Amino acid sequence: MIKVRYICLTAAAALIVTLSSCSGTPTAENPSAPVTSPATEAVTSNSHSGHGGKEKININSAILSELDKFEAKLGVPALSNKIQASRPYGSPEDLVTKKVITQEQFDQIKDQVTVQEVVLTGEAKDVDYMSKLGLMKGHLLVAQELLDQNQPKQAEPHIGHPVEEIYVDVEDQLNERKVKEFKTTLVSLQDLVKSSPKDSKVKNNFTSSVQAVDSAIAALPADKRSKPGFVLQVINELLDSANSEYGAAIADGKITAPIEYQDSRGFVVYANDLYKGISSQVAQADPEAHKAIDTSFAELIKVWPAAIPPAKAVKTASDVTKLVKTIEENSQKVVDKSNTQAKR
């Protein structure tokens, strides 16, 4: 069974925030460029940092889903687990000295490796917060579909994703924003689906879990949650994750990893829902960019015809990457235009 993995945001000191992969053993690298965000404050410790357009991942603190980026690039099975097992690292080069990877492999990823931390501030922190909650929403959306189709065993991992790793990654921000604790609610739902999936309480617990995540998202000011420039950044974080997941799900034109396929479906569905909420504003601000984004979303949605994977992949990982990149590039145009107008 595919090992459950999750996604955590990595922040860039060069004004970029990127969500990393939530994958098993990917078959395609995700080259898409992220949408830029406001400044972050760098501190030397354990977390994430970045430069240029490339994501940097802290090998001392990154969760498996982040480390999967290296697995995707190098094509080394179980590399994420090997990196985790060999902690701590005094420097990125320790990956070679500890014989986790070869020097040749390290040279391919060295620009993405760090042992330093970047602390998010301002809007970048808000994007990070809503993106993580958006991942929770995506997982729960696909879990609900699977439960509705009487597939509790397939639904359970997607209920587990939010509580087992994403929650702990966003917990500090939840506390800062005075959001009522809902980890207990998620755990209760997960346990119930595992032990008694046909129990009538499942429906109520599921509703409570979704409402809890929605309430956490509502901790952000309403005007921010409806601001195109902000929402587009969140959308692209979700799509970056979906792109990596889809690449991990495909081998030889077939869906070989259903969990990753379902994860990516949930993220794209929620990202599309978010775009619908701001599409009229984007169309008014930049009709050409809106058309490109809307068209690409229409094609993306077709990739996941149902929660249960089709026997043959609808599109290749490369096709999905191109669509995601088109959305990101056009989103950036809208964000840049918005920033320029705000400075006038």
Side-chain angles (χ1 to χ4, degrees):
M1 181 176 178
I2 303 298
K3 188 174 184 65
V4 177
R5 293 188 181 167
Y6 312 94
I7 295 159
C8 174
L9 282 168
T10 54
L15 314 184
I16 289 178
V17 176
T18 307
L19 259 178
S20 63
S21 163
C22 169
S23 62
T25 305
T27 57
E29 182 186 355
N30 173 15
S32 48
V35 175
T36 56
S37 300
T40 57
E41 174 187 358
V43 296
T44 55
S45 185
N46 295 332
S47 190
H48 331 291
S49 66
H51 70 86
K54 282 197 172 185
E55 168 194 0
K56 280 211 170 187
I57 299 171
N58 187 323
I59 52 177
N60 279 326
S61 62
I63 58 176
L64 289 174
S65 60
E66 294 180 275
L67 299 176
D68 281 345
K69 281 285 189 178
F70 301 138
E71 206 167 293
K73 190 175 183 73
L74 299 177
V76 179
L79 178 59
S80 302
N81 301 84
K82 294 175 185 176
I83 294 174
Q84 191 180 63
S86 298
R87 289 170 174 167
Y89 301 95
S91 70
E93 290 75 14
D94 281 355
L95 285 172
V96 178
T97 58
K98 291 191 174 189
K99 298 183 179 180
V100 178
I101 56 176
T102 65
Q103 181 64 51
E104 182 180 5
Q105 289 170 331
F106 178 73
D107 289 342
Q108 295 181 57
I109 64 170
K110 62 183 179 181
D111 290 339
Q112 292 175 267
V113 182
T114 187
V115 292
Q116 293 183 320
E117 179 182 8
V118 167
V119 178
L120 295 170
T121 61
E123 187 170 83
K125 187 174 182 178
D126 291 340
V127 170
D128 173 81
Y129 175 76
M130 185 164 172
S131 297
K132 288 173 181 174
L133 293 172
L135 292 174
M136 286 191 182
K137 286 282 289 186
H139 284 306
L140 292 174
L141 281 170
V142 78
Q144 181 67 74
E145 287 185 295
L146 292 166
L147 286 175
D148 289 344
Q149 295 178 45
N150 197 29
Q151 298 290 336
K153 288 186 178 180
Q154 290 196 51
E156 190 277 321
H158 304 292
I159 296 170
H161 281 159
V163 64
E164 291 173 355
E165 192 163 334
I166 300 177
Y167 191 94
V168 71
D169 202 44
V170 77
E171 192 165 13
D172 286 345
Q173 288 213 55
L174 291 171
N175 291 335
E176 287 177 18
R177 298 170 195 274
K178 302 187 186 310
V179 174
K180 183 180 178 181
E181 182 272 333
F182 61 94
K183 183 177 181 179
T184 303
T185 303
L186 294 172
V187 170
S188 176
L189 175 61
Q190 183 184 21
D191 290 344
L192 192 59
V193 170
K194 280 182 178 180
S195 61
S196 306
K198 294 185 178 181
D199 193 311
S200 60
K201 293 180 181 178
V202 169
K203 184 175 181 179
N204 289 335
N205 284 22
F206 203 100
T207 299
S208 297
S209 294
V210 172
Q211 289 176 341
V213 178
D214 287 338
S215 293
I217 292 174
L220 287 169
D223 59 342
K224 173 157 285 188
R225 287 183 279 117
S226 62
K227 178 183 174 185
F230 175 79
V231 178
L232 285 169
Q233 292 179 73
V234 174
I235 286 171
N236 283 285
E237 299 291 3
L238 296 173
L239 293 182
D240 184 58
S241 299
N243 190 23
S244 297
E245 286 284 359
Y246 189 71
I250 295 180
D252 299 324
K254 297 181 179 180
I255 306 298
T256 57
I259 291 178
E260 275 76 5
Y261 165 91
Q262 290 158 352
D263 283 345
S264 56
R265 172 181 170 83
F267 301 155
V268 169
V269 168
Y270 186 58
N272 188 45
D273 287 344
L274 287 177
Y275 187 69
K276 288 177 181 177
I278 60 167
S279 62
S280 60
Q281 296 181 69
V282 175
Q284 184 174 4
D286 192 325
E288 186 176 336
H290 163 67
K291 183 177 180 180
I293 294 171
D294 195 51
T295 300
S296 295
F297 259 124
E299 288 301 306
L300 264 183
I301 291 296
K302 295 177 184 177
V303 177
W304 297 268
I308 304 297
K312 183 179 179 181
V314 174
K315 290 185 181 294
T316 66
S318 178
D319 290 336
V320 169
T321 295
K322 289 177 182 177
L323 289 170
V324 168
K325 191 172 183 64
T326 296
I327 292 174
E328 291 180 335
E329 289 174 343
N330 283 278
S331 294
Q332 189 62 59
K333 292 177 183 178
V334 178
V335 172
D336 289 344
K337 183 177 290 187
S338 175
N339 289 340
T340 299
Q341 293 175 344
K343 290 178 182 178
R344 291 175 181 174

